[in-house]
Amino acid sequence: MKHIILILFCLLGLSLKAQNHIQGRLTDALSKQPIEGANLYFPELEKGTMSQAQGEFYIKNIPNGTHKIIISYLGYETLSITVDFPYNGTLTIDLEPSVIEMEGIIISTPFHKLQSENVMKVERENANNLQKQGAVTLAQGLSNISGVKNNATGLSIGKPVIRGLSSNRVLVYTQGIRLENQQFGSEHGLGLSSNGIESIEVIKGPASLLYGSDALGGVIYINPERFALNNTAQADISTTYFSNTLGYNSHLGAKQSGDRFKFLFRGGVAEHADYKTKDYRVTNTRFRETDLKAGIGYQMNRFKTELRYNLNQSKLGIPEDIGEPSRLKTPLFPFQYITNHVLSSRSTIFLNNSKLDVNFGLLYNDRKEFEDHHHGEEEHGDEHEEEHEEDHEEDLDDPIEAALHMKLKTLNYDIKYHLPELGKFETIVGLQGMTQSNANYGEEQLIPDATTHDIGLLATSHIHFKKADVQLGARIDNRQIKVPSGIHKTFNSFNGALGLKTTVLNGWITRVNLATGFRAPNLAELTSNGSHEGANRYEIGNETLKNESNLQFDLSMEYQSDHFECFVNGFYNTVSDYIYLAPNGNFIDGDPVFIYLQDDAKLYGGEMGFHLHPHPLDWLHFESSFETVTGKQGNNDDLPLIPANTLTHICRAEFDKDWLKNGYGFIKYQFTFSQNNISSFETPTGAYQLLSLGAGGIITMFNKPLDIRIAVTNLTNRRYIDHLSRLKPDGILNMGRNVSLGMTYSL
């Protein structure tokens, strides 16, 4: 590691002579009229500009080499072109009109392709679109992405589920580094705010080649908001009110970029009371969240770097039963008090026709869980709840002894070298790893003090042909877990991936991917021996557990014409030595005993759908999709926590008026089928249907844009329980009707 840092500083000392620039003009391919306001962006350089009144653009300080530039504008096809620098002359670019949504660049895969160019199927969604649908939290918003569901404890605690796999089988990336926050616990949420997020990408399948252990089931890759375009400044203030929880989410941000330096800041706070079903409020689902994001970047001709920091502090109530209705927002006992610090450094050194990416991350997760008896109070009935809440409101900031207190510290590193292109080959070699320590400070202990060390080596290539693209790669990994009591476990794994994308059939894109993945057992699975209050069970670990390993086959077919799109995605995933919790029939201290076992498993299913925008009604969109997952153990018993099949229909309108820009309106109908394929300790879940709608757009106020949005979820106020709700065993309903009203004003 020291040698790598030394090389980094030596390269920084190189003489930077070249001062490349690019200039040109954007026009409509049909009318040849100039296009003003289009976005031109170099994803590798993270810099860009907007076209001016005559379609002209100019970007300077571009390093030598081959760089991709993405041109996007609403109403036109997103264009990706490659330019060799130094570049002499003026670039003239024609954009083709299109009613299809703008494509985004895929950041989670190493070659940074557009969605249509990527060999691996990746779902991408703008965070803005999730907010428009009325999501209260980030975890809830993720469930609107195809193939993703939410294993939730109320509203405040949610874990993403990708095609039936969750927790340590799904890796979450934020600010370009892997998130580590004790995600082994089913009631341990993301610890991330929806504020200050640009987009979300989902890899639905093993991504161990790219990310190592814990990416066996897939990856949620969260892209932070971009810095401002060169030589521009932006500021905004935003707030959203939620009628169901009597809550709000407010935040403000500012950012500015010069030729070399750039910075951004965003701070926000969210607060919610207990959510309401049609019949009652669910006691202690209330929560508070404070979030701070800041970043600074610097760029020279051959070097760019950015440093980002995120502080997220949350007080989350843990619901246990239904008490007296309350509109207070301070959590009752038991509750979690969680502080997440995420510090990331991302740097790129541009060499002649190659580059070196060097990323580091420091994460500090301070998790406290408080219980009533640790506060020195007797159990109190519902008649004292209001009085208790008022006392608790004052006591939350006092020193209270935590029943459970864990501190998790993690150092991540990710170094990739992009070799010079050799004919049709783009190749990347990399080194990834982490060093992690867990320490206990509370009276209770879920997992012991321990250190974990990961290291992995990878190589991957993208091969371009006229009608097809091939991507392949291999990786080796080593993980060591050391516990002071004497446990020392070592896990090794070799994985590979092979993918093909072809456009042989006119209008059709076909992707075939075959990949292996692995997951080393986590500390909880190896060493647990105690009551897990949040899960209401006594867990016993198993030191003999082996690596989980899987092999997944994916087939994806997409068709696209001017006014019609359709897709079919299918997968078959076999998992060897699948680790799962099962009750053994015993009880300790009143809690049922669960033990960790292993068995082979398989999961299969997929997604299909279409998108129609009929001519000449290009402003009108009809979308429909169906998702299904089946999970089986080796003995053909059903796996637990497999989401129910869902059918979704959306009718959406988009329009522009003189007084309302980027206007939209939508109606969404979702039918969730009953789930009767359940494990031995689950119960069936009935079918239900939900209706939602929303509208919004941008008006001008005091010569500045004001973005207004309104959404209504569960419009008919239906009673229902989602199969993945952790409150389902207690018969507690999911949230009833909710009206969200949001405004964002650009200063």
Side-chain angles (χ1 to χ4, degrees):
M1 184 65 65
K2 292 181 180 178
H3 297 297
I4 295 170
I5 296 174
L6 181 61
I7 292 172
L8 174 64
F9 279 101
C10 290
L11 289 170
L12 284 179
L14 293 173
S15 175
L16 307 175
K17 297 180 180 179
Q19 294 292 326
N20 298 315
H21 69 271
I22 186 171
Q23 60 184 4
R25 188 168 181 262
L26 293 181
T27 60
D28 184 296
L30 300 180
S31 68
K32 299 303 179 183
Q33 293 298 309
I35 298 176
E36 179 184 2
N39 192 299
L40 298 98
Y41 189 70
F42 286 91
E44 296 172 336
L45 307 179
E46 296 187 52
K47 67 187 306 180
T49 190
M50 298 182 71
S51 58
Q52 303 303 307
Q54 297 303 312
E56 298 170 346
F57 63 87
Y58 179 84
I59 306 174
K60 61 181 180 179
N61 293 332
I62 302 172
N64 289 343
T66 301
H67 302 293
K68 180 178 298 182
I69 183 170
I70 306 296
I71 304 100
S72 59
Y73 189 59
L74 189 64
Y76 291 85
E77 289 184 16
T78 299
L79 184 63
S80 170
I81 61 175
T82 301
V83 182
D84 293 323
F85 291 89
Y87 180 82
N88 296 317
T90 300
L91 193 64
T92 301
I93 302 173
D94 290 333
L95 294 184
E96 295 284 346
S98 172
V99 296
I100 297 172
E101 283 78 4
M102 294 185 297
E103 279 193 273
I105 196 78
I106 300 299
I107 305 298
S108 56
T109 53
F111 296 102
H112 291 183
K113 306 290 185 183
L114 287 174
Q115 287 173 300
S116 58
E117 301 171 329
N118 218 45
V119 173
M120 184 184 296
K121 174 66 175 177
V122 179
E123 300 288 346
R124 182 184 183 277
E125 187 65 76
N126 288 329
N128 241 357
N129 292 338
L130 300 182
Q131 291 178 352
K132 289 176 181 178
Q133 296 184 51
V136 178
T137 63
L138 175 61
Q140 189 185 48
L142 291 175
S143 62
N144 290 314
I145 299 175
S146 175
V148 182
K149 298 301 179 185
N150 184 27
N151 184 8
T153 306
L155 290 175
S156 62
I157 302 173
K159 302 182 76 67
V161 179
I162 299 179
R163 289 175 168 175
L165 297 177
S166 184
S167 296
N168 279 101
R169 298 182 181 95
V170 171
L171 188 61
V172 177
Y173 256 61
T174 180
Q175 298 177 192
I177 60 174
R178 61 182 290 162
L179 179 68
E180 292 291 326
N181 66 348
Q182 306 283 16
Q183 57 265 47
F184 71 87
S186 58
E187 81 294 355
H188 297 174
L190 288 174
L192 297 173
S193 169
S194 59
N195 303 331
I197 291 176
E198 181 84 19
S199 62
I200 297 156
E201 299 171 16
V202 180
I203 300 175
K204 296 182 290 188
S208 295
L209 170 66
L210 303 178
Y211 299 108
S213 180
D214 301 345
L216 175 144
V219 175
I220 304 287
Y221 199 97
I222 300 173
N223 294 309
E225 69 174 303
R226 295 178 182 176
F227 289 96
L229 296 176
N230 284 16
N231 299 308
T232 64
Q234 296 173 244
D236 64 79
I237 184 168
S238 179
T239 188
T240 304
Y241 172 75
F242 302 91
S243 67
N244 185 285
T245 63
L246 309 173
Y248 64 89
N249 180 4
S250 299
H251 57 98
L252 60 89
K255 51 187 176 180
Q256 183 173 6
S257 295
D259 286 331
R260 297 197 183 277
F261 282 100
K262 49 190 176 182
F263 78 89
L264 60 80
F265 167 86
R266 186 165 299 278
V269 61
E271 193 173 41
H272 295 268
D274 297 335
Y275 79 78
K276 189 177 185 301
T277 70
K278 184 174 184 177
D279 304 316
Y280 51 80
R281 290 195 178 273
V282 181
T283 305
N284 210 25
T285 53
R286 63 198 75 172
F287 65 98
R288 290 176 170 178
E289 179 184 55
T290 303
D291 189 76
L292 170 67
K293 292 183 173 75
I296 184 170
Y298 178 73
Q299 185 162 358
M300 298 187 298
N301 189 45
R302 286 183 178 265
F303 173 74
K304 74 177 180 71
T305 187
E306 68 176 51
L307 186 70
R308 290 183 186 254
Y309 172 69
N310 178 208
L311 168 64
N312 184 277
Q313 195 169 70
S314 304
K315 295 175 181 177
L316 314 173
I318 300 176
E320 293 184 314
D321 51 31
I322 304 300
E324 288 295 316
S326 171
R327 297 187 171 196
L328 297 180
K329 298 182 174 68
T330 300
L332 298 167
F333 294 104
F335 70 93
Q336 299 176 355
Y337 184 22
I338 303 165
T339 303
N340 276 325
H341 300 268
V342 180
L343 178 66
S344 63
S345 167
R346 304 179 65 191
S347 302
T348 302
I349 301 164
F350 297 95
L351 308 170
N352 287 330
N353 299 315
S354 66
K355 66 175 183 175
L356 179 68
D357 292 329
V358 182
N359 300 340
F360 293 101
L362 282 173
L363 299 97
Y364 174 41
N365 174 255
D366 189 344
R367 175 177 294 276
K368 299 177 182 178
E369 295 187 7
F370 297 89
E371 300 168 19
D372 197 17
H373 63 274
H374 285 273
H375 193 48
E377 298 183 24
E378 297 296 326
E379 296 291 332
H380 39 261
D382 293 342
E383 68 273 12
H384 300 302
E385 183 175 328
E386 287 290 331
E387 179 183 350
H388 170 63
E389 285 179 329
E390 292 172 2
D391 293 339
H392 189 43
E393 184 94 30
E394 299 173 357
D395 292 345
L396 264 180
D397 296 321
D398 294 342
I400 311 172
E401 179 188 358
L404 177 72
H405 187 188
M406 298 185 292
K407 294 182 180 180
L408 186 69
K409 301 174 183 178
T410 307
L411 168 66
N412 291 330
Y413 56 91
D414 183 353
I415 301 163
K416 292 190 179 78
Y417 177 57
H418 299 244
L419 279 69
E421 289 190 27
L422 182 63
K424 301 178 184 295
F425 286 79
E426 289 182 72
T427 301
I428 296 172
V429 294
L431 171 70
Q432 293 175 333
M434 75 173 183
T435 296
Q436 185 177 85
S437 67
N438 181 71
N440 286 276
Y441 297 89
E443 177 183 329
E444 297 177 3
Q445 181 173 299
L446 282 181
I447 57 176
D449 296 354
T451 58
T452 303
H453 300 281
D454 272 5
I455 187 167
L457 295 169
L458 69 95
T460 181
S461 290
H462 189 114
I463 311 167
H464 303 271
F465 297 101
K466 186 175 182 180
K467 288 287 187 178
D469 289 87
V470 175
Q471 189 171 321
L472 51 85
R475 177 188 181 110
I476 56 174
D477 282 275
N478 172 268
R479 168 170 285 191
Q480 296 185 32
I481 300 176
K482 295 181 180 180
V483 181
S485 63
I487 299 174
H488 184 182
K489 305 289 290 186
T490 300
F491 302 95
N492 298 294
S493 187
F494 175 82
N495 291 280
L498 175 64
L500 168 70
K501 180 187 77 77
T502 178
T503 55
V504 174
L505 298 175
N506 188 33
W508 284 91
I509 296 177
T510 302
R511 295 179 174 89
V512 180
N513 282 274
L514 187 68
T516 64
F518 86 104
R519 181 180 75 89
N522 60 48
L523 270 176
E525 294 163 338
L526 292 168
T527 64
S528 288
N529 189 9
S531 292
H532 196 163
E533 300 298 337
N536 297 317
R537 62 191 178 213
Y538 192 101
E539 297 180 5
I540 298 178
N542 184 349
E543 292 183 28
T544 67
L545 295 176
K546 299 180 290 185
N547 270 350
E548 289 183 340
S549 59
N550 75 327
L551 173 65
Q552 180 165 317
F553 173 79
D554 283 89
L555 174 63
S556 169
M557 298 187 69
E558 304 169 39
Y559 174 77
Q560 181 175 299
S561 65
D562 290 341
H563 298 280
F564 180 75
E565 303 166 72
C566 65
F567 67 90
V568 178
N569 305 324
F571 75 96
Y572 191 88
N573 185 8
T574 60
V575 186
S576 300
D577 298 313
Y578 181 91
I579 301 171
Y580 64 98
L581 265 175
N584 67 358
N586 296 328
F587 287 81
I588 297 179
D589 296 331
D591 291 329
V593 176
F594 279 68
I595 59 176
Y596 286 96
L597 303 173
Q598 284 190 298
D599 189 9
D600 293 342
K602 59 185 177 182
L603 299 100
Y604 52 90
E607 307 86 33
M608 64 178 67
F610 71 87
H611 177 189
L612 172 67
H613 30 89
H615 184 73
L617 306 177
D618 295 338
W619 51 270
L620 187 61
H621 300 257
F622 297 99
E623 300 176 42
S624 184
S625 63
F626 175 73
E627 304 174 27
T628 180
V629 178
T630 299
K632 298 287 186 179
Q633 291 180 214
N635 60 6
N636 215 37
D637 286 348
D638 293 296
L639 289 175
L641 296 177
I642 298 299
N645 298 339
T646 57
L647 178 65
T648 304
H649 302 295
I650 299 176
C651 178
R652 179 164 48 91
E654 297 175 344
F655 48 88
D656 259 324
K657 302 291 184 182
D658 291 339
W659 59 276
L660 183 69
K661 300 297 182 184
N662 297 335
Y664 70 90
F666 72 86
I667 299 175
K668 178 180 178 180
Y669 169 81
Q670 180 174 299
F671 181 81
T672 301
F673 293 78
S674 60
Q675 179 57 291
N676 298 310
N677 300 322
I678 55 175
S679 71
S680 59
F681 54 93
E682 289 184 301
T683 56
T685 307
Y688 60 89
Q689 48 193 333
L690 299 177
L691 186 65
S692 305
L693 57 83
I698 299 175
I699 63 174
T700 300
M701 179 176 289
F702 305 116
N703 296 319
K704 297 289 185 180
L706 174 65
D707 189 336
I708 301 175
R709 55 195 177 274
I710 185 171
V712 186
T713 57
N714 195 0
L715 179 65
T716 58
N717 207 19
R718 183 169 296 274
R719 300 180 181 93
Y720 77 99
I721 300 178
D722 187 88
H723 186 68
L724 298 185
S725 169
R726 292 190 62 253
L727 305 182
K728 176 177 175 284
D730 297 317
I732 296 176
L733 299 172
N734 283 74
M735 185 169 68
R737 183 188 299 116
N738 180 45
V739 180
S740 61
L741 176 62
M743 294 179 287
T744 300
Y745 187 61
S746 298
L747 304 174

